[in-house]
Amino acid sequence: MTQQKPQRKEPASTGAILVINCGSSSVKFSLIKPLSGETLLSGLAECLHTPDAKIIVKLNGEKQTYKLPEPFNHQTALSVLVEQLQQLGLVKDITAIGHRVVHGGEQYSQPTLITEDVEQAISQLAKLAPLHNPANLIGIKACQQAFENLPQVAVFDTAFHQSMPEKAYIYGLPYSLYKAHGIRRYGFHGTSHYFVAKQAAEQLNKPLEQCNLISAHLGNGCSVTVIKNGESVDTSMGMTPGEGVIMGTRCGDLDTGIIFHLVENLGYSIGDVDKLVNKESGLLGVSGLSNDGRTLENAMLEDNHAQATLALTIFCYRIAKTIASYSASLTQLDGLIFTGGIGENSNWVRTEIVKQLALLNFSLDEEKNKATRFGASGNIATKDSRACWVIATNEEWVIAEQSAQLLTNLVK
Ligand code: AMP
């Protein structure tokens, strides 16, 4: 696809990039210096389309919350954001908008300048990501109105996984479904896996292209990726984020026969099944208590809550099994990375996972494991173990960096 040259006065890398992550009822935003990763301002508009719609702006460690006026939509949220940026004198620093776009299909393996063609492609890809791509497009359109003269860049969550070989992405279904309808594994959280792999490469003091890593992004959504010579060669999420390990509310891998049983014998509609496997399962479904890792850990450790313990035990076992299975993709392994809200903060989850990986020669230094939480990063393995890092992810910085890089290359 051809890319038009953006109209801009100054190099994108010297200004700030406004990073936008639009959900169906929320907009997350960060204003970031692409070279240093410094965040000038960040925040979230949430509860859109309801009278509770509000915007929270974080600046210099302080949070301000504003109620949004009607209509309670994405455009209003962005107009209020623009007003705030204007009052703070920050609009003049913005050189481009970088959008997180969830599904880029097979077309997009690189950050891409948004043109009408690209918008159309994102819209067509909504059939593979019906919850995400339409919301991303709403954000793009609202930003085009709010920031008329600024270039907009799409950074795709699937892009990093486009290097997977066929053996990793073709399902055991008739091949014609892949050819005619794009039914294959795509993988998600690519921006996060790429960021933490790059950070691990720095720790190893080698170029990323020489690194072999497994990274576990464990948040409300969870995925594990195996990286060979700096490229993703397999990942646990599939055509949608529903595949793989169990997550906050998603069940992950499931015997397809269960779906027929639910529909044919237990009276579930397809909509009911969708809600069950995506919103009511995973940690929430098994524990019957919460999808929140912290709540479950407290219930397990303080109240001996049997189902919270079971949910977390299954969670860790499935992740350990997935990590171990990736030894089939590698001949060398430099180390394992934990990231995402649970991966960065829960020393209990890390211990439970790593103790099931002794065959791969992983063991944790418990002192370091306990000390490396709440934004701290570092190697928490014992001296005899392969490296095992906790790395705080920063997808927004990658989006800012890649947007600036693309624009710099386009004006060259
Ligand atoms: P994310 O989707 O990456 O923002 O991660 C959200 C998840 O991280 C939620 O399940 C949180 O409960 C979990 N989390 C955050 N802090 C902790 C913590 N200290 N211990 C356990 N889980 C945590």
Side-chain angles (χ1 to χ4, degrees):
M1 214 158 281
T2 54
Q3 303 214 342
Q4 289 155 7
K5 281 197 169 196
Q7 302 296 306
R8 257 184 321 96
K9 297 172 243 87
E10 53 178 320
S13 56
T14 59
I17 306 285
L18 181 64
V19 176
I20 297 286
N21 181 357
C22 233
S24 54
S25 60
S26 68
V27 186
K28 286 189 198 145
F29 50 85
S30 311
L31 185 62
I32 297 187
K33 293 261 197 191
L35 292 181
S36 63
E38 182 193 352
T39 301
L40 304 175
L41 170 145
S42 65
L44 165 76
E46 59 184 357
C47 307
L48 299 179
H49 315 301
T50 76
D52 295 329
K54 59 180 178 242
I55 185 165
I56 302 159
V57 179
K58 269 196 258 174
L59 181 72
N60 301 327
E62 301 237 331
K63 271 190 201 174
Q64 296 271 13
T65 303
Y66 307 90
K67 243 180 113 33
L68 286 179
E70 281 191 82
F72 309 120
N73 59 19
H74 294 77
Q75 279 85 349
T76 307
L78 283 162
S79 307
V80 172
L81 172 62
V82 174
E83 271 170 38
Q84 286 292 310
L85 291 166
Q86 261 158 354
Q87 280 174 22
L88 294 163
L90 290 169
V91 170
K92 62 177 184 344
D93 295 336
I94 306 175
T95 46
I97 318 292
H99 292 270
R100 172 182 185 229
V101 179
V102 167
H103 219 303
E106 286 188 332
Q107 285 105 305
Y108 298 109
S109 58
Q110 298 296 331
T112 303
L113 185 69
I114 298 173
T115 60
E116 271 178 38
D117 284 354
V118 175
E119 277 178 63
Q120 228 167 44
I122 295 171
S123 167
Q124 275 161 12
L125 286 163
K127 58 182 184 293
L128 297 176
L131 296 180
H132 297 100
N133 275 29
N136 300 150
L137 270 178
I138 290 172
I140 290 168
K141 294 211 182 301
C143 282
Q144 284 166 340
Q145 278 181 19
F147 303 94
E148 241 180 315
N149 299 317
L150 289 178
Q152 318 255 340
V153 176
V155 176
F156 297 93
D157 227 29
T158 47
F160 183 56
H161 303 299
Q162 277 300 298
S163 45
M164 286 195 293
E166 252 192 339
K167 68 174 181 186
Y169 72 71
I170 294 292
Y171 284 114
L173 289 167
Y175 194 71
S176 54
L177 283 175
Y178 162 57
K179 279 310 209 190
H181 302 289
I183 295 180
R184 53 158 280 183
R185 308 183 65 252
Y186 291 94
F188 299 85
H189 290 148
T191 315
S192 174
H193 289 295
Y194 168 70
F195 177 80
V196 295
K198 230 170 43 139
Q199 298 284 312
E202 278 181 26
Q203 297 290 314
L204 289 164
N205 211 7
K206 307 202 264 196
L208 178 58
E209 298 70 38
Q210 289 172 21
C211 293
N212 298 293
L213 302 159
I214 296 175
S215 89
H217 178 111
L218 312 178
N220 203 26
C222 300
S223 68
V224 185
T225 292
V226 51
I227 295 154
K228 185 175 186 177
N229 298 327
E231 292 188 331
S232 167
V233 288
D234 206 348
T235 191
S236 58
M237 283 177 167
M239 185 177 94
T240 76
E243 191 179 331
V245 298
I246 78 166
M247 314 183 203
T249 59
R250 297 184 189 122
C251 62
D253 292 343
L254 196 68
D255 177 348
T256 48
I258 293 170
I259 295 173
F260 308 125
H261 181 64
L262 290 168
V263 172
E264 284 166 11
N265 303 321
L266 300 179
Y268 278 70
S269 68
I270 285 298
D272 295 337
V273 175
D274 185 356
K275 193 161 155 235
L276 178 80
V277 300
N278 284 308
K279 300 259 189 280
E280 298 170 349
S281 296
L283 292 174
L284 172 66
V286 178
S287 69
L289 182 66
S290 172
N291 63 311
D292 188 278
R294 223 169 338 196
T295 307
L296 293 182
E297 229 178 281
N298 288 340
M300 173 181 66
L301 298 174
E302 285 162 29
D303 304 332
N304 242 339
H305 192 291
Q307 275 172 258
T309 310
L310 178 63
L312 286 169
T313 305
I314 298 171
F315 179 79
C316 295
Y317 175 56
R318 292 269 296 262
I319 292 161
K321 251 193 348 179
T322 306
I323 293 169
S325 75
Y326 287 153
S327 61
S329 310
L330 297 172
T331 51
Q332 288 173 35
L333 176 59
D334 292 304
L336 171 66
I337 307 165
F338 285 108
T339 192
I342 298 176
E344 290 168 31
N345 295 303
S346 173
N347 54 306
W348 186 89
V349 164
R350 296 188 302 234
T351 301
E352 189 65 18
I353 293 172
V354 172
K355 80 179 186 207
Q356 298 172 81
L357 296 172
L359 262 184
L360 288 179
N361 192 19
F362 281 110
S363 67
L364 291 191
D365 177 322
E366 277 308 327
E367 287 303 306
K368 288 184 185 163
N369 184 26
K370 280 197 194 114
T372 313
R373 305 173 71 192
F374 313 127
S377 292
N379 185 357
I380 56 170
T382 57
K383 277 207 188 86
D384 300 333
S385 163
R386 280 181 215 277
C388 182
W389 297 278
V390 176
I391 298 177
T393 196
N394 192 339
E395 289 155 281
E396 291 77 15
W397 187 8
V398 177
I399 295 171
E401 205 179 25
Q402 295 192 340
S403 301
Q405 188 65 54
L406 171 75
L407 295 167
T408 305
N409 292 343
L410 287 177
V411 291
K412 263 184 192 161

Coordinates of all heavy atoms in Angstrom, one line a residue, residues 68-109:
L68 N -17.8 14.7 31.6 CA -17.9 15.1 30.2 C -19.3 15.7 29.9 O -20.3 15.1 30.4 CB -17.6 13.9 29.3 CG -16.2 13.4 29.2 CD1 -16.1 12.2 28.2 CD2 -15.3 14.5 28.7
P69 N -19.4 16.7 29.1 CA -20.7 17.2 28.7 C -21.3 16.3 27.6 O -20.6 15.5 27.0 CB -20.4 18.6 28.2 CG -19.0 18.5 27.7 CD -18.3 17.5 28.6
E70 N -22.6 16.5 27.3 CA -23.2 15.8 26.2 C -22.7 16.3 24.9 O -22.4 17.4 24.8 CB -24.8 15.9 26.3 CG -25.4 15.1 27.4 CD -26.9 15.0 27.3 OE1 -27.4 14.3 26.4 OE2 -27.5 15.8 28.0
P71 N -22.8 15.5 23.8 CA -23.0 14.0 23.8 C -21.8 13.3 24.4 O -20.7 13.7 24.2 CB -23.2 13.7 22.3 CG -22.4 14.8 21.6 CD -22.5 16.0 22.5
F72 N -22.1 12.2 25.2 CA -21.1 11.5 26.0 C -20.3 10.6 25.1 O -20.2 9.4 25.3 CB -21.7 10.7 27.1 CG -22.7 11.5 28.0 CD1 -24.0 11.1 28.1 CD2 -22.2 12.6 28.7 CE1 -24.9 11.9 28.9 CE2 -23.1 13.4 29.5 CZ -24.4 13.0 29.6
N73 N -19.6 11.1 24.0 CA -19.0 10.2 23.1 C -17.5 10.5 23.0 O -16.9 11.3 23.7 CB -19.7 10.3 21.7 CG -19.7 11.7 21.2 OD1 -18.9 12.5 21.6 ND2 -20.6 11.9 20.2
H74 N -16.8 9.7 22.0 CA -15.4 9.8 21.9 C -15.0 11.3 21.4 O -14.0 11.8 21.9 CB -14.9 8.8 20.8 CG -15.1 7.4 21.3 ND1 -16.2 6.7 21.2 CD2 -14.1 6.5 21.7 CE1 -16.1 5.5 21.7 NE2 -14.8 5.3 22.0
Q75 N -15.8 11.9 20.5 CA -15.5 13.2 20.0 C -15.5 14.2 21.2 O -14.6 15.0 21.3 CB -16.5 13.7 19.0 CG -16.3 13.2 17.6 CD -17.0 11.8 17.4 OE1 -17.4 11.2 18.4 NE2 -17.0 11.3 16.2
T76 N -16.5 14.1 22.1 CA -16.5 15.0 23.2 C -15.3 14.8 24.1 O -14.6 15.8 24.5 CB -17.8 14.8 24.1 OG1 -18.9 14.8 23.2 CG2 -17.9 15.8 25.2
A77 N -14.9 13.5 24.3 CA -13.7 13.2 25.2 C -12.5 13.9 24.6 O -11.7 14.5 25.3 CB -13.6 11.7 25.3
L78 N -12.4 13.7 23.2 CA -11.2 14.3 22.6 C -11.2 15.8 22.6 O -10.1 16.4 22.7 CB -11.0 13.7 21.2 CG -10.4 12.3 21.2 CD1 -10.7 11.6 19.9 CD2 -9.0 12.3 21.6
S79 N -12.4 16.4 22.4 CA -12.5 17.9 22.5 C -12.0 18.4 23.8 O -11.3 19.4 23.9 CB -13.9 18.4 22.2 OG -14.4 17.8 21.1
V80 N -12.5 17.7 24.9 CA -12.1 18.1 26.2 C -10.6 17.9 26.4 O -9.9 18.8 27.0 CB -12.9 17.3 27.3 CG1 -12.3 17.6 28.7 CG2 -14.3 17.7 27.3
L81 N -10.0 16.9 25.9 CA -8.6 16.6 25.9 C -7.8 17.8 25.2 O -6.8 18.3 25.7 CB -8.2 15.3 25.3 CG -6.7 15.0 25.2 CD1 -6.0 14.9 26.5 CD2 -6.5 13.6 24.5
V82 N -8.3 18.1 24.0 CA -7.7 19.2 23.2 C -7.7 20.5 24.0 O -6.7 21.2 24.1 CB -8.3 19.4 21.9 CG1 -7.8 20.6 21.1 CG2 -8.2 18.1 21.0
E83 N -8.8 20.8 24.7 CA -8.9 22.0 25.5 C -7.9 22.0 26.6 O -7.2 23.0 26.8 CB -10.3 22.1 26.2 CG -11.4 22.8 25.4 CD -12.7 22.6 26.1 OE1 -12.8 22.6 27.3 OE2 -13.7 22.4 25.4
Q84 N -7.8 20.8 27.2 CA -6.8 20.7 28.3 C -5.3 20.9 27.8 O -4.6 21.6 28.4 CB -6.8 19.3 28.9 CG -8.0 19.1 29.8 CD -7.9 19.9 31.1 OE1 -6.9 19.9 31.7 NE2 -9.0 20.6 31.3
L85 N -5.1 20.3 26.7 CA -3.7 20.4 26.1 C -3.4 21.9 25.7 O -2.3 22.3 25.9 CB -3.6 19.5 24.8 CG -3.6 18.0 25.1 CD1 -3.8 17.2 23.9 CD2 -2.3 17.6 25.8
Q86 N -4.5 22.5 25.2 CA -4.3 23.9 24.8 C -4.0 24.8 26.0 O -3.1 25.6 26.0 CB -5.6 24.5 24.1 CG -5.4 24.4 22.6 CD -6.7 24.4 21.8 OE1 -7.8 24.3 22.5 NE2 -6.6 24.5 20.5
Q87 N -4.8 24.6 27.1 CA -4.6 25.4 28.3 C -3.2 25.2 28.9 O -2.6 26.1 29.5 CB -5.7 25.0 29.4 CG -7.0 25.6 29.1 CD -8.1 25.1 30.1 OE1 -7.7 24.6 31.2 NE2 -9.3 25.3 29.7
L88 N -2.7 24.0 28.7 CA -1.4 23.7 29.2 C -0.3 24.0 28.3 O 0.9 23.8 28.6 CB -1.3 22.1 29.5 CG -2.2 21.6 30.7 CD1 -2.3 20.1 30.6 CD2 -1.6 22.1 32.0
G89 N -0.7 24.6 27.1 CA 0.3 25.0 26.1 C 1.0 23.8 25.5 O 2.2 24.0 25.0
L90 N 0.4 22.6 25.4 CA 1.1 21.5 24.9 C 0.7 21.1 23.4 O 1.4 20.3 22.8 CB 0.8 20.2 25.8 CG 1.4 20.3 27.2 CD1 0.8 19.2 28.0 CD2 2.9 20.1 27.1
V91 N -0.3 21.8 22.9 CA -0.8 21.4 21.5 C 0.3 21.6 20.5 O 0.6 20.8 19.6 CB -2.1 22.1 21.2 CG1 -2.4 21.9 19.7 CG2 -3.2 21.6 22.0
K92 N 1.0 22.7 20.7 CA 2.1 23.1 19.7 C 3.2 22.0 19.7 O 3.9 21.9 18.7 CB 2.6 24.5 20.0 CG 3.3 24.6 21.4 CD 3.9 26.0 21.6 CE 4.7 26.1 22.9 NZ 4.5 25.1 23.9
D93 N 3.3 21.3 20.7 CA 4.4 20.2 20.7 C 4.0 19.0 20.0 O 4.9 18.1 19.7 CB 4.8 19.8 22.2 CG 5.3 21.0 23.0 OD1 5.9 21.9 22.4 OD2 5.2 21.0 24.2
I94 N 2.8 18.8 19.7 CA 2.3 17.5 19.2 C 2.6 17.4 17.7 O 2.2 18.3 16.9 CB 0.8 17.3 19.4 CG1 0.5 17.4 20.9 CG2 0.4 15.9 18.9 CD1 -1.0 17.3 21.2
T95 N 3.4 16.4 17.3 CA 3.8 16.3 15.9 C 3.0 15.2 15.1 O 2.9 15.2 13.9 CB 5.3 16.0 15.7 OG1 5.6 14.9 16.6 CG2 6.1 17.1 16.0
A96 N 2.4 14.3 15.9 CA 1.6 13.3 15.2 C 0.7 12.6 16.3 O 1.0 12.7 17.5 CB 2.5 12.3 14.5
I97 N -0.3 11.8 15.8 CA -1.1 11.0 16.6 C -0.8 9.5 16.3 O -0.8 9.1 15.1 CB -2.6 11.2 16.4 CG1 -3.0 12.7 16.2 CG2 -3.4 10.5 17.5 CD1 -2.8 13.5 17.4
G98 N -0.4 8.7 17.3 CA -0.2 7.3 17.1 C -1.4 6.5 17.7 O -1.7 6.7 18.9
H99 N -2.0 5.7 16.9 CA -3.1 4.9 17.3 C -2.8 3.5 17.5 O -2.2 2.8 16.7 CB -4.3 5.0 16.3 CG -4.9 6.3 16.1 ND1 -5.9 6.7 16.9 CD2 -4.5 7.3 15.3 CE1 -6.3 8.0 16.5 NE2 -5.4 8.4 15.6
R100 N -3.2 2.9 18.7 CA -3.1 1.5 18.8 C -4.3 0.9 18.0 O -5.4 1.2 18.3 CB -3.2 1.1 20.3 CG -3.3 -0.4 20.4 CD -3.5 -0.8 21.9 NE -3.4 -2.3 22.0 CZ -4.4 -3.0 22.7 NH1 -5.4 -2.4 23.3 NH2 -4.3 -4.3 22.7
V101 N -4.0 0.0 17.1 CA -5.1 -0.6 16.3 C -4.9 -2.1 16.6 O -3.8 -2.7 16.4 CB -5.0 -0.3 14.8 CG1 -6.1 -1.0 14.1 CG2 -5.2 1.2 14.6
V102 N -6.0 -2.8 17.0 CA -5.8 -4.2 17.4 C -5.5 -5.1 16.3 O -4.6 -5.9 16.3 CB -7.1 -4.6 18.2 CG1 -7.1 -6.1 18.5 CG2 -7.1 -3.9 19.6
H103 N -6.3 -5.1 15.2 CA -6.1 -6.1 14.2 C -5.6 -5.5 12.9 O -6.3 -4.7 12.3 CB -7.4 -6.9 14.0 CG -7.2 -8.4 13.7 ND1 -6.4 -8.8 12.7 CD2 -7.7 -9.4 14.4 CE1 -6.4 -10.2 12.8 NE2 -7.2 -10.6 13.8
G104 N -4.5 -6.0 12.5 CA -3.9 -5.5 11.2 C -3.9 -6.7 10.1 O -3.4 -6.5 9.0
G105 N -4.5 -7.8 10.5 CA -4.6 -8.9 9.6 C -3.2 -9.3 9.0 O -2.2 -9.1 9.7
E106 N -3.2 -9.7 7.8 CA -1.9 -10.1 7.1 C -1.3 -8.9 6.4 O -0.2 -8.9 5.9 CB -2.1 -11.2 6.1 CG -2.3 -12.5 6.8 CD -2.2 -13.7 5.9 OE1 -2.6 -13.6 4.7 OE2 -1.8 -14.8 6.3
Q107 N -2.2 -7.8 6.2 CA -1.7 -6.6 5.4 C -0.6 -5.9 6.2 O 0.2 -5.3 5.6 CB -2.9 -5.6 5.2 CG -3.8 -6.1 4.1 CD -5.1 -6.5 4.8 OE1 -5.1 -7.4 5.7 NE2 -6.2 -5.9 4.4
Y108 N -0.8 -5.8 7.5 CA 0.1 -4.8 8.2 C 1.1 -5.5 9.2 O 0.7 -6.0 10.2 CB -0.8 -3.8 8.9 CG -1.7 -3.0 8.0 CD1 -3.1 -3.3 7.9 CD2 -1.1 -2.1 7.1 CE1 -3.9 -2.6 7.0 CE2 -1.9 -1.4 6.2 CZ -3.3 -1.7 6.1 OH -4.0 -1.0 5.2
S109 N 2.3 -5.4 8.8 CA 3.3 -5.9 9.7 C 4.2 -4.8 10.2 O 5.2 -5.0 10.9 CB 4.2 -7.0 9.0 OG 4.8 -6.5 7.9

